[in-house]
Amino acid sequence: MGIAEAKKLYIETLGCAMNVRDSEHIIAELGDKENYVLTNNLQEADLILVNTCSVREKPVSKLFSEIGKYNLQKKEGAKIGVCGCTASHLGKEIFRRAPYVSFVIGARNVSKISTAVNTEKFLSVDTDYDESTYAFGEYRNSLYKAYVNISIGCDKKCTYCIVPQTRGDEISIPADLIVNEARKAAQNGAKEIFLLGQNVNNYGRRFSGNVERSMDFSDLLNLISEIPEVERIRFTSPHPLHMDDKFLETFANNPKVCKSMHMPLQSGSTHILEQMKRGYSKEWFLNRALKLREMIPDVSISTDIIVAFPGESEADFDDTLDVIRQVKFEQIFAFKYSPRPLTKAAEFTNQIDAEIGSARLERLQLLQDEILDEIAAKHLNKTYPVYIDELRNSGFLAGRSDNNALVQIKGDESLLGQTVNIKVTNPKRLSLYGEIVL
Ligand code: 5AD
Ligand code: SF4
């Protein structure tokens, strides 16, 4: 008897890095336990999985249009499964709207994927399920950089955000597991370790199994930096509220910690920040961001901003623009407020017209484009060490400078996984083009 032919898995991942990592775990589990291999040809797939996001309405509506389409295109007998944040928040409603779906597993239930594929109709969406110490198999999208979870869930109660409902309360993963995983990935060639959590700098408040340990995020960064094979450490997302001096100093002084910080502002208005329950003021945010700029002249700072949150006045929005002018973020992810079910802000009675939101988003982007042109111009003729980690379809090799600028050069795969000095010859807003110098 021959070995049974592998089944084919087609997986689509929406949303954030946490979801990308969950998909890697799913691929590993299905590969190790159920004999699945990946395909990017939908028609030959035995299992079609959509790993969803629910942070805004758009990805939720996209889910239903995607699976509707897949149901028409799939080969006979192929199963469709839904996992991730929308699976958590809609649960069995997904079976009602799309009866052809075989299973729905929530964001915190990834380890149940094997059971799900072997069950007629399977639903598991608990948000208090603890898989923080579950030993997933090894699968990574990239050989050169590795995502490593450090916590799951989120304890914050930001009034616009659905994530605490989809990913549950925050639990930190024990440091020894994190260090082992980082070491293994680095020894396999991933010189860059990317630590993941909803609120990474709140690490260590509560561990799985309620184990008592004394370890905060700064300690964890230092511990991981002791692994000789690890050359670069990145992380997302930190919370501005927990950016105390110890954290900023560790960030600034540990040479393996890359000098790019994500600081999700959300709004520059202290009044709106209160309505959002963010826990900090405009002044605190500016103080932390400007302190970082002072401590590390080359630091890059990125941010998330929500415009047209309920009750946002012109003056509130001007405060946001003011913070943008003062901090000059290297990257902004700006979104129009999207009311989410199960959140406080969706109940607020002072919702803002969609057109006002679109106009504000446009104004914000015009300002940011000016800032990006200014920043890009400063890169001309500068030389940066760049860790090359991707060969793009365009024929360009791509990598990141220590402070996270995307840099591209012409070249072949022999440079993948290497750090090379690149002189910038053509700086653009979203990417710097250059050539190797010795
Ligand atoms: N509407 C718009 N944007 C949102 N985000 C989170 N919730 C919402 C919402 N209801 C944004 C925040 C967060 C990013 C991941 O998504 O800016 O930082
Ligand atoms: Fe989307 Fe948030 Fe879930 Fe990530 S955690 S997939 S951003 S809803």
Side-chain angles (χ1 to χ4, degrees):
M1 267 206 349
I3 298 172
E5 203 186 318
K7 289 169 279 182
K8 304 258 168 62
L9 164 68
Y10 179 94
I11 184 163
E12 178 178 356
T13 308
L14 309 168
C16 64
M18 252 66 63
N19 258 21
V20 174
R21 183 65 184 137
D22 285 348
S23 285
E24 290 180 340
H25 281 148
I26 288 172
I27 296 165
E29 288 287 291
L30 289 179
D32 292 353
K33 300 193 176 143
E34 306 298 328
N35 196 25
Y36 275 93
V37 294
L38 276 179
T39 177
N40 41 33
N41 178 350
L42 187 90
Q43 267 112 16
E44 67 170 27
D46 300 285
L47 172 62
I48 299 169
L49 265 181
V50 185
N51 191 6
T52 62
C53 171
S54 52
V55 78
R56 283 169 290 277
E57 183 52 32
K58 225 186 200 165
V60 178
S61 25
K62 184 165 175 198
L63 165 71
F64 287 101
S65 63
E66 291 288 84
I67 53 177
K69 201 173 67 192
Y70 295 162
N71 187 41
L72 298 175
Q73 295 171 344
K74 74 183 171 75
K75 78 173 184 192
E76 213 182 312
K79 283 188 172 190
I80 298 183
V82 175
C83 37
C85 287
T86 305
S88 306
H89 111 248
L90 290 182
K92 61 179 187 299
E93 169 78 7
I94 295 177
F95 290 139
R96 203 186 55 75
R97 285 173 68 176
Y100 48 83
V101 166
S102 297
F103 60 84
V104 172
I105 54 175
R108 234 167 137 142
N109 294 258
V110 170
S111 60
K112 297 181 185 159
I113 186 70
S114 226
T115 315
V117 296
N118 291 312
T119 311
E120 191 63 36
K121 277 264 173 193
F122 186 80
L123 175 81
S124 185
V125 293
D126 304 350
T127 50
D128 54 3
Y129 187 63
D130 181 3
E131 55 184 13
S132 61
T133 55
Y134 186 87
F136 288 101
E138 266 298 305
Y139 174 84
R140 297 192 179 278
N141 294 330
S142 168
L143 288 174
Y144 309 106
K145 53 184 173 189
Y147 282 143
V148 176
N149 289 334
I150 69 162
S151 57
I152 60 174
C154 181
D155 274 352
K156 295 275 180 254
K157 297 280 174 285
C158 302
T159 55
Y160 52 79
C161 188
I162 196 172
V163 174
Q165 317 294 336
T166 66
R167 288 190 178 263
D169 292 342
E170 187 175 313
I171 300 181
S172 297
I173 296 174
D176 49 336
L177 296 183
I178 298 171
V179 169
N180 284 344
E181 188 181 342
R183 182 182 297 111
K184 193 160 150 199
Q187 287 174 346
N188 285 335
K191 295 173 188 164
E192 184 173 304
I193 299 296
F194 208 126
L195 304 176
L196 297 182
Q198 292 300 334
N199 189 358
V200 285
N201 53 338
N202 199 32
Y203 179 82
R205 259 173 35 107
R206 191 183 333 114
F207 286 96
S208 42
N210 283 326
V211 180
E212 286 294 326
R213 284 168 221 248
S214 167
M215 163 83 55
D216 66 14
F217 186 57
S218 301
D219 302 333
L220 183 69
L221 286 174
N222 288 334
L223 202 60
I224 293 173
S225 72
E226 284 166 17
I227 303 170
E229 293 85 356
V230 171
E231 292 180 12
R232 289 180 161 198
I233 305 170
R234 298 187 190 279
F235 52 84
T236 203
S237 281
H239 195 298
L241 177 66
H242 303 298
M243 294 194 175
D244 54 21
D245 286 346
K246 176 179 176 190
F247 171 60
L248 294 193
E249 274 152 26
T250 309
F251 176 80
N253 297 333
N254 188 316
K256 289 192 182 176
V257 175
C258 291
K259 300 304 177 251
S260 84
M261 184 76 90
H262 188 59
M263 290 186 71
L265 169 66
Q266 312 301 2
S267 168
S269 152
T270 298
H271 166 67
I272 294 295
L273 288 168
E274 274 164 14
Q275 299 297 307
M276 290 176 160
K277 291 224 176 336
R278 289 291 288 169
Y280 55 86
S281 61
K282 174 186 183 185
E283 288 67 35
W284 167 259
F285 187 94
L286 279 172
N287 170 286
R288 296 290 91 182
L290 299 177
K291 178 159 179 160
L292 263 182
R293 292 261 189 237
E294 190 187 297
M295 291 167 91
I296 316 163
D298 278 343
V299 74
S300 78
I301 306 180
S302 56
T303 197
D304 291 343
I305 291 174
I306 298 176
V307 304
F309 182 81
E312 184 186 74
S313 66
E314 275 300 306
D316 291 320
F317 181 62
D318 282 343
D319 272 329
T320 299
L321 297 182
D322 183 45
V323 175
I324 294 175
R325 278 192 204 96
Q326 293 199 51
V327 178
K328 295 189 194 297
F329 298 102
E330 275 72 11
Q331 196 172 19
I332 297 184
F333 301 92
F335 313 100
K336 196 153 66 162
Y337 170 71
S338 165
R340 309 304 300 124
L342 313 171
T343 62
K344 280 229 167 74
E347 311 291 321
F348 292 177
T349 51
N350 48 359
Q351 306 284 327
I352 305 267
D353 280 356
E355 302 83 70
I356 296 182
S358 305
R360 287 186 184 160
L361 204 54
E362 215 169 290
R363 276 169 65 198
L364 186 157
Q365 258 140 10
L366 280 176
L367 170 61
Q368 182 60 8
D369 282 350
E370 277 173 32
I371 293 172
L372 288 182
D373 285 341
E374 216 179 280
I375 293 172
K378 287 191 193 147
H379 288 298
L380 184 64
N381 293 326
K382 295 258 173 63
T383 298
Y384 303 111
V386 176
Y387 178 51
I388 304 289
D389 60 21
E390 192 190 347
L391 178 59
R392 300 201 154 186
N393 293 337
S394 57
F396 278 86
L397 286 167
R400 299 271 168 179
S401 65
D402 183 275
N403 65 4
N404 210 31
L406 176 65
V407 185
Q408 300 193 60
I409 46 167
K410 282 255 165 61
D412 61 42
E413 65 266 6
S414 63
L415 288 176
L416 282 168
Q418 295 194 39
T419 302
V420 290
N421 286 326
I422 297 181
K423 181 173 171 187
V424 177
T425 50
N426 183 13
K428 300 275 188 207
R429 273 183 205 154
L430 300 178
S431 180
L432 309 175
Y433 293 86
E435 50 201 41
I436 296 189
V437 290
L438 295 175

